[in-house]
Amino acid sequence: MNVRGRAMRTIWPAADGRTVEIIDQTRLPHELAIVELETLDDAARAIATMQVRGAPLIGAAAAYGMALAAAEDPSDNAIETAMSKLAATRPTAVNLRWALTEMRRALSEVPESRRFAAATVRAGEIADADVAINHAIGEHGAGLIIEAWRCKGRAGRVEVLTHCNAGWLATVDWGTALAPVYRAHNEGIPIHVWVDETRPRNQGASLTAWELGEHGVPHTVIVDNAGGHLMREGLVDLCIVGTDRTTAGGDVANKIGTYLKALAARDNDIPFYVALPSPTIDWEIESSAAIPIERRDAGEVTHIEGWTEEGRRVTVRLTPAHSPAANYAFDVTPARLVSALITERGICPASSEGLLELFPERRRRVVRE
Amino acid sequence: MNVRGRAMRTIWPAADGRTVEIIDQTRLPHELAIVELETLDDAARAIATMQVRGAPLIGAAAAYGMALAAAEDPSDNAIETAMSKLAATRPTAVNLRWALTEMRRALSEVPESRRFAAATVRAGEIADADVAINHAIGEHGAGLIIEAWRCKGRAGRVEVLTHCNAGWLATVDWGTALAPVYRAHNEGIPIHVWVDETRPRNQGASLTAWELGEHGVPHTVIVDNAGGHLMREGLVDLCIVGTDRTTAGGDVANKIGTYLKALAARDNDIPFYVALPSPTIDWEIESSAAIPIERRDAGEVTHIEGWTEEGRRVTVRLTPAHSPAANYAFDVTPARLVSALITERGICPASSEGLLELFPERRRRVVRE
């Protein structure tokens, strides 16, 4: 998507044919810093410190990290070491493990002398595949936005509410929940996005607002508390969020607070859509009760980072020194509250039946087992 | 309630018999600063800058402000000027206007020479009346907490979720939503409070957490997004919130985000109680559609204030420089989502019929008109 009028991805090979460049997302929204990854260690650090984040982008960054490792030392031993190092950066990311396994496979098939070249090609393919999936999600989801605009008699603008950052910054390009928004915007549909700030890490306020602003999509930042009121007042036409994991039954684990917005959407007869690349479907789990919910450091609740007027990045305390805090990172929105799932293969009801219609190969597998 | 083991109110006459002292709430939770109000101007400034806030406390502070004015100049002209000045501090506060009218009445009945003494007595009565109302709310509400504990077989502790600050800091003492919590805690019921931080002004994280901690009530600060997950996980036994205005039909206007918690409580069969002193009932309005929702400065969303490790109070920006923000201060929770109202006269269903059972004088008035 566009940054300062120029198309960008979150990660790309540099002009020298070896280095990889990324947007340092820890500096956003106040500074656009491009960081060069020259070594395996650079790539591992970028993932661990969340300079790159978002499951699809983590996968692509790990793939490029394996290419950097192959440039340094293409031996089998070195490749195994690199894989372990990258796998340890974010222990729970599914895409990370998938990308590493895929890279090892690609590298094992060629002699050492050709491993760097093969790794570079395969990493690029992994990045491009993510873009293709998100582009397809955008195409299917944009239809829902265009339909909402038709329902409004093509007057005014389509009001979308989103939570957290499921935009292009979480992927290589396009994003998941925001792909339909960009697609509709690019096609000239008047659209406006209510951006939940998404406490405690504020990915909405810092990342979603930034990327929408840079691409020229009208938007307004709100506190997470505000969405219910907006829906009651008729100021939201539809909600679109992303997901970290969707069960085979259509339950959706996503950033903490998603469930509250789904309840408000249901209470006000507003469609609540979840956009997901199919790799985030967990076919092994039918019900959400089996999804473990990560509890993160309480410091993310008690303290917050922001920028002073002088441009200094400062962390400040928000709570009394002796008050404990709890930090649940995700919640589960039951399938009954999800109007539809938007995948790269199309749109389906949030149910086993709905998902299996789009992914019939999973039906056959289930029958066989 | 207790601060550092000693009982305190939010406002009290100083030992000199003339000055009034307050807790400067803008310094909480990081500093307990007592401010002396010596003049009418001091009192007006304390209300305008939110050193004192919360409708009941604003009323008491305005009453004491009138006493300070009478000490400076007890003439009719000066009293009128003082009233205008105090009325202008927080234009929408209902209790402020009521307290000022009441003080003018009390002052008009005595000669100038006795006005300061009369004003001091009447201001003290107004403060004490607030304490009495909240104490009664606490008594009625504590019954619900004790009942919840019985239902748990007197095992573990009662888990309460609250939003914003409706504690003793918003009143002269006891608070509204937290009065039942303090009462139950004082009676030895094991209780734990989930404290919504309550963006954007963070009254939960800064004020509710502080006052619960000082009184020794176990509590945990959470982001506003977390409550739905906690309820789904069975970690909340009941919710209690305050209200800025309740309609004659039982709809509740309260801090933005209240509605989302009420939806989650309903979805998980958890009681959702609203504690209210009867002066906050708006008998003129049946439906919430007539309640205007205040929109405040977007700067409260884009920026946040906190304390650095070195103890400096610093404001930092959270959002991109060019992203607009919207700041809706309240939302409305429809009566259908409220399990019961807790008033100083007892507990009733959130409905016209329920309220009129407790306040039958309002029924007669309606019939007469």
Side-chain angles (χ1 to χ4, degrees), chain B residues 12-32:
Chain B
W12 61 93
D16 67 5
R18 172 166 165 164
T19 312
V20 175
E21 294 180 336
I22 59 166
I23 298 173
D24 179 355
Q25 299 194 23
T26 65
R27 309 298 300 183
L28 293 176
H30 301 279
E31 192 184 341
L32 176 63

Side-chain angles (χ1 to χ4, degrees), chain B:
Chain B
M1 299 293 101
N2 290 349
V3 177
R4 298 173 190 175
R6 196 168 65 87
M8 275 189 102
R9 287 185 172 187
T10 50
I11 190 167
W12 61 93
D16 67 5
R18 172 166 165 164
T19 312
V20 175
E21 294 180 336
I22 59 166
I23 298 173
D24 179 355
Q25 299 194 23
T26 65
R27 309 298 300 183
L28 293 176
H30 301 279
E31 192 184 341
L32 176 63
I34 308 298
V35 170
E36 298 205 339
L37 309 180
E38 298 183 346
T39 64
L40 163 67
D41 283 352
D42 288 348
R45 197 179 313 114
I47 300 171
T49 62
M50 299 179 77
Q51 289 181 316
V52 290
R53 27 66 61 191
L57 175 53
I58 287 171
Y64 278 113
M66 290 293 280
L68 291 171
E72 290 176 77
D73 180 348
S75 70
D76 284 353
N77 264 353
I79 298 299
E80 285 304 313
T81 305
M83 192 161 160
S84 304
K85 178 167 246 171
L86 288 165
T89 52
R90 294 289 301 277
T92 56
V94 175
N95 298 51
L96 174 62
R97 229 150 307 273
W98 173 83
L100 291 173
T101 309
E102 182 56 28
M103 289 300 291
R104 176 165 58 183
R105 193 196 53 69
L107 288 168
S108 69
E109 289 170 354
V110 292
E112 290 190 5
S113 62
R114 280 168 40 209
R115 280 184 174 172
F116 169 62
T120 301
V121 168
R122 189 69 195 111
E125 288 169 353
I126 286 173
D128 287 345
D130 177 58
V131 177
I133 283 178
N134 301 331
H135 187 268
I137 289 173
E139 189 166 338
H140 298 303
L144 298 169
I145 293 173
I146 293 166
E147 183 55 31
W149 195 46
R150 275 204 204 100
C151 289
K152 296 183 93 168
R154 291 193 173 78
R157 56 189 188 179
V158 180
E159 299 284 349
V160 177
L161 183 140
T162 193
H163 192 68
C164 199
N165 178 257
W168 69 271
L169 288 172
T171 65
V172 177
D173 205 355
W174 285 100
T176 55
L178 294 190
V181 168
Y182 288 120
R183 179 71 177 240
H185 173 81
N186 290 352
E187 290 185 12
I189 307 298
I191 195 166
H192 168 261
V193 183
W194 296 106
V195 179
D196 277 0
E197 64 172 350
T198 318
R199 285 278 292 147
R201 290 183 59 86
N202 271 36
Q203 297 95 330
S206 56
L207 303 179
T208 300
W210 181 83
E211 62 166 89
L212 289 172
E214 289 292 333
H215 197 74
V217 180
H219 65 283
T220 303
V221 179
I222 49 174
V223 296
D224 303 305
N225 283 325
H229 174 68
L230 294 176
M231 293 191 220
R232 270 177 66 86
E233 295 291 305
L235 298 171
V236 177
D237 295 313
L238 56 103
C239 304
I240 314 182
V241 301
T243 167
D244 291 82
R245 195 178 338 189
T246 298
T247 69
D251 291 345
V252 172
N254 191 42
K255 189 66 52 190
I256 191 82
T258 303
Y259 165 57
L260 294 170
K261 296 301 143 61
L263 285 169
R266 172 57 48 97
D267 199 46
N268 293 282
D269 287 324
I270 292 166
F272 189 89
Y273 300 116
V274 178
L276 65 155
S278 61
T280 58
I281 303 171
D282 188 338
W283 296 99
E284 308 301 317
I285 298 181
E286 187 73 23
S287 147
S288 59
I291 299 180
I293 298 296
E294 179 186 359
R295 285 189 66 170
R296 295 176 56 85
D297 191 318
E300 293 183 351
V301 176
T302 59
H303 291 69
I304 198 167
E305 186 182 84
W307 272 255
T308 65
E309 285 301 308
E310 301 80 40
R312 277 183 307 116
R313 191 154 66 155
V314 174
T315 298
V316 293
R317 172 175 269 280
L318 301 175
T319 56
H322 300 296
S323 286
N327 186 8
Y328 298 85
F330 304 98
D331 64 20
V332 172
T333 300
R336 67 185 151 85
L337 298 176
V338 177
S339 306
L341 302 173
I342 309 171
T343 79
E344 70 269 27
R345 292 202 191 164
I347 295 163
C348 72
S351 65
S352 305
E353 211 35 56
L355 281 167
L356 290 171
E357 285 278 326
L358 286 186
F359 299 90
E361 70 274 25
R362 294 288 170 172
R363 189 193 301 273
R364 289 196 297 275
R365 193 179 143 197
V366 169
V367 170
R368 264 209 310 276
E369 271 169 4

Side-chain angles (χ1 to χ4, degrees), chain A residues 52-72:
Chain A
V52 290
R53 26 65 62 191
L57 175 52
I58 287 171
Y64 278 113
M66 290 293 279
L68 292 172
E72 289 176 76

Side-chain angles (χ1 to χ4, degrees), chain A residues 36-108:
Chain A
E36 298 204 340
L37 309 181
E38 298 182 347
T39 64
L40 163 67
D41 284 350
D42 287 348
R45 196 180 313 113
I47 299 171
T49 62
M50 300 179 77
Q51 288 181 316
V52 290
R53 26 65 62 191
L57 175 52
I58 287 171
Y64 278 113
M66 290 293 279
L68 292 172
E72 289 176 76
D73 180 350
S75 70
D76 284 353
N77 267 352
I79 297 299
E80 284 305 312
T81 306
M83 192 163 161
S84 303
K85 178 167 245 169
L86 288 165
T89 52
R90 294 291 301 277
T92 57
V94 176
N95 298 51
L96 173 61
R97 228 151 306 271
W98 173 84
L100 292 173
T101 309
E102 182 56 29
M103 290 300 291
R104 176 166 57 183
R105 193 196 53 70
L107 288 168
S108 68

